Amino acid sequence: MEIFNSMTRRKEEFVPIEEGKVRMYACGPTVYNLIHVGNARPIILFDVLRRYLEYRGYDVTFVQNFTDVDDKIIKRANEEGISSQEVAEKYIQEYFTDAQGLGVRPATIHPRATETMDEIIDLVQTLVDKGYAYPVPSGDVYYRTLKFKGYGKLSHQPIEDLMSGARIDVNDEKENPLDFALWKAAKPGEPAWDSPWGKGRPGWHIECSAMNRKYLGKTIDIHCGGEDLQFPHHENEIAQSEAANDAPFVHYWMHNGFLNIDNKKMSKSQGNFFTVRDAAQVYGYEPIRLFMLSAHYRTPLNYSAESLQQAQAALDRLYSARDNLTFLAENGGEDGPNQAKQAVLDEAGTYRERFDAAMDDDFNTADAVSVLFELVRAANRAVAPEQKPTKAGAADLLKLIGEFTDVLGLLYARKEESLDDQVEALIAQRQAARVAKNWAEADRIRDELKGMGIILKDTKQGVQWKKE
Ligand code: AMP
Ligand code: ZN
């Protein structure tokens, strides 16, 4: 399995630190409003990464944090006249609503900054003790960036370029413009915690270093996030963690490309965004997921109504194939020769090899999705009525499709349809009427079912039905 490592900028064979185990971390949302479709891209992709690692037999510990103390949360709390904690709590719940809608499994652990305060303060103290950080009279604590030799190694920027790009702000308490806050002294009306430097709250970067160390250890396998987080956020995480722990921080860095709209990054600050909630109202959640998987995670992806509609249509094809195979697995012929089904199953090894090869190649979900749809087309042909499909044949095909869709996290939104007693009874009455050649009665029952939103299809294997 190869992963493109943003640190080395090439694909590398994946070798876990501990055999059979993967420790991965993704920077999670700052919880002050609903997530937009751009935010959903990393959430969906890293969920698939985790599912694929599990499919390959790894025991995965996946940590995704919530930043629940931040300027934006405080601002929102003041606007709404509620506490920061209430704002964070509200949007954490909203996050889970959207994540569940998108078929994203909860991480193994979802730590919050406010619940990691002791570890954050410990880490800042270690950095101060080692000379990598310094408190200033106002009560802030800054990271001494120039002391960390590898600064800039992830973003591949020489320190001189970073220096010239750094904003010289009014804060003359910093030794160097590149120094960043680990701890911020309390301001009136802001949430604050006791610390050796007085009351205050942590900076954003230190939270992730502390949560990584607390839940995953000093060195982790995979750290992920959007490419906008490479600098300064991830660069700063490296500086903090490696200086404090005297150990390499991360073996593989993975960064997703942007979700664009009219070829510009979808972002809250630009105002060119759709919330996941709104998009889901129009298209449904699951098409958003399939749309995201239709591109490789490192390439830019353009959001458009057309792509979402295409994803809807593709999902419909997937669901019809599943429903048809489910029906045949119950109502197909008894086992016997079914040449076409056998041909697909003989090729199944090839489908799986191609699916795995796509995912092994730096998680190429675009190719993996294509393999899935090719398999679905072949399966549809194999169980066409003239092939006299058998129960076992349909069940085998269904199982293989199910394994791929489980990795991609698809086919979760629509439940398999089951006849309720009333519909079942009506279908039986109609069959009885047909046997008695009472066509008027059979048609009347068909219309009655139609009125209930049930469409019937007479096939050689019996009556198939679906909801309108
Ligand atoms: P933010 O809300 O900007 O803090 O972003 C939260 C997460 O979403 C980060 O991992 C970002 O990199 C990611 N993100 C934000 N906007 C986009 C976008 N347009 N495309 C892809 N990822 C994004
Ligand atoms: Zn982070």
Side-chain angles (χ1 to χ4, degrees), residues 279-437:
Q281 285 251 310
V282 181
Y283 306 104
Y285 276 111
E286 198 176 10
I288 301 175
R289 184 175 179 106
L290 178 58
F291 160 67
M292 294 292 181
L293 301 181
S294 67
H296 186 271
Y297 74 91
R298 284 188 287 114
T299 58
L301 176 61
N302 213 48
Y303 179 87
S304 68
E306 205 184 17
S307 344
L308 269 291
Q309 284 155 359
Q310 277 168 8
Q312 278 179 320
L315 270 175
D316 285 342
R317 292 201 298 279
L318 210 50
Y319 274 106
S320 320
R322 183 198 66 178
D323 291 345
N324 191 36
L325 288 167
T326 306
F327 174 82
L328 292 170
E330 282 165 21
N331 303 290
E334 293 309 324
D335 241 339
N338 177 357
Q339 300 287 328
K341 156 228 144 183
Q342 199 50 51
V344 176
L345 286 176
D346 290 346
E347 279 173 30
T350 326
Y351 286 106
R352 187 188 300 282
E353 268 168 40
R354 287 171 55 214
F355 183 87
D356 290 0
M359 293 298 282
D360 277 348
D361 182 14
D362 191 29
F363 306 97
N364 194 334
T365 57
D367 284 357
V369 165
S370 303
V371 174
L372 167 66
F373 278 92
E374 270 181 55
L375 169 61
V376 165
R377 280 193 296 275
N380 284 342
R381 284 194 300 274
V383 298
E386 63 275 16
Q387 303 291 349
K388 299 192 177 50
T390 60
K391 287 183 187 181
D396 287 344
L397 291 168
L398 194 58
K399 183 162 172 288
L400 185 63
I401 291 173
E403 284 180 47
F404 294 177
T405 53
D406 281 352
V407 170
L408 299 170
L410 296 170
L411 293 188
Y412 61 90
R414 296 181 219 165
K415 294 284 156 260
E416 274 163 38
E417 296 174 338
S418 73
L419 289 174
D420 63 30
D421 293 346
Q422 201 191 354
V423 174
E424 213 158 41
L426 282 169
I427 290 177
Q429 281 172 29
R430 177 169 166 272
Q431 287 304 87
R434 280 158 57 97
V435 170
K437 300 202 185 329

Side-chain angles (χ1 to χ4, degrees), residues 6-9 152-158 230 235:
S6 324
M7 178 68 88
T8 57
R9 294 197 173 167
K153 65 183 172 182
L154 177 65
S155 44
H156 298 260
Q157 301 188 71
Q230 273 186 34
E235 199 73 70

Side-chain angles (χ1 to χ4, degrees), residues 25 27-28 65 204-205 208 223 229 233-234 237:
Y25 184 94
C27 298
N65 71 303
W204 171 38
H205 317 302
C208 285
H223 194 314
L229 299 187
H233 184 56
H234 290 160
E237 281 188 42

Side-chain angles (χ1 to χ4, degrees), residues 77-96:
N78 291 338
E79 284 164 7
E80 294 193 12
I82 53 176
S83 69
S84 297
Q85 212 181 339
E86 285 168 309
V87 171
E89 198 54 52
K90 172 168 183 227
Y91 288 105
I92 286 173
Q93 293 320 315
E94 299 288 15
Y95 166 85
F96 281 121

